[in-house]
Amino acid sequence: MSTQRYHQHFTVSWDQLHRDVRELCQRLMERDFKGIVAITRGGLIPAALIARELNVRLIDTVCIKSYDHMDQGGLDVLKGVDHDGEGWLLVDDLVDTGKTARKVREMLPKAHFVTIYAKPEGRPLVDQYLTEVAQDCWIQFPWDMGVAYVEPLVDQVKR
């Protein structure tokens, strides 16, 4: 997979991410979880926000590398967990092609798997998600962006 597969971009601000996580948590409040397993790195921040909103204190990680910036490569499991996920909430920021999702489903088959954003290829692999995004859309998360000064248009034209 390469950057050529992305024809759209969706930028998520910190505020939007927080609103989306809170909305997902509204749907999870009826359940009682032993803890949260975050899929690193993308699932770390959503998991922390979910932990706060649902008052969950026990957090673990599954560490899997599948992307190098916008290029998806092979899966590299860096760290797993020692249970099957029974009673646990499994959290990631996004399910894309489903490659990572399939692997964590094998590792934690009994976990309740949620993502904030889901693309069509990976959507069937999660139990819940908040927003569907087109398969050819690159999601720009706030932790990958910085704030930069933009010169006013009138000043740009004067040059």
Side-chain angles (χ1 to χ4, degrees):
M1 304 262 173
S2 72
T3 58
Q4 296 172 355
R5 69 179 243 203
Y6 301 110
H7 303 288
Q8 303 175 56
H9 286 268
F10 173 47
T11 301
V12 179
S13 68
W14 286 110
D15 288 341
Q16 184 63 53
L17 179 74
H18 200 190
R19 281 191 301 271
D20 289 347
V21 168
R22 287 177 59 95
E23 187 173 335
L24 181 62
C25 286
Q26 287 288 333
R27 301 172 187 185
L28 295 170
M29 283 180 27
E30 299 299 318
R31 299 182 64 126
D32 188 30
F33 298 104
K34 291 179 187 176
I36 293 174
V37 176
I39 300 172
T40 68
R41 291 180 312 197
L44 286 170
I45 291 171
L49 295 171
I50 290 169
R52 180 202 182 264
E53 297 300 333
L54 299 182
N55 198 25
V56 175
R57 302 287 176 154
L58 187 56
I59 302 174
D60 202 348
T61 58
V62 168
C63 306
I64 297 178
K65 180 180 179 187
S66 64
Y67 275 91
D68 186 10
H69 184 54
M70 293 173 76
D71 295 319
Q72 190 176 35
L75 283 179
D76 189 9
V77 178
L78 307 171
K79 177 189 169 290
V81 294
D82 62 355
H83 56 81
D84 63 4
E86 178 74 37
W88 287 74
L89 180 64
L90 180 60
V91 177
D92 207 354
D93 56 348
L94 158 74
V95 61
D96 190 335
T97 62
K99 196 174 185 180
T100 300
R102 275 184 207 75
K103 186 63 179 174
V104 295
R105 276 286 191 204
E106 288 174 17
M107 296 167 70
L108 297 158
K110 296 183 178 180
H112 186 76
F113 191 0
V114 299
T115 62
I116 312 306
Y117 307 102
K119 293 184 180 181
E121 287 180 31
R123 186 184 60 229
L125 298 165
V126 297
D127 296 307
Q128 284 181 272
Y129 65 94
L130 184 68
T131 302
E132 185 170 340
V133 179
Q135 197 67 46
D136 68 346
C137 184
W138 179 258
I139 301 176
Q140 194 68 56
F141 288 100
W143 49 84
D144 290 327
M145 299 182 297
V147 178
Y149 174 77
V150 177
E151 188 177 29
L153 290 174
V154 69
D155 293 341
Q156 292 175 26
V157 173
K158 287 181 183 177
R159 279 190 270 134

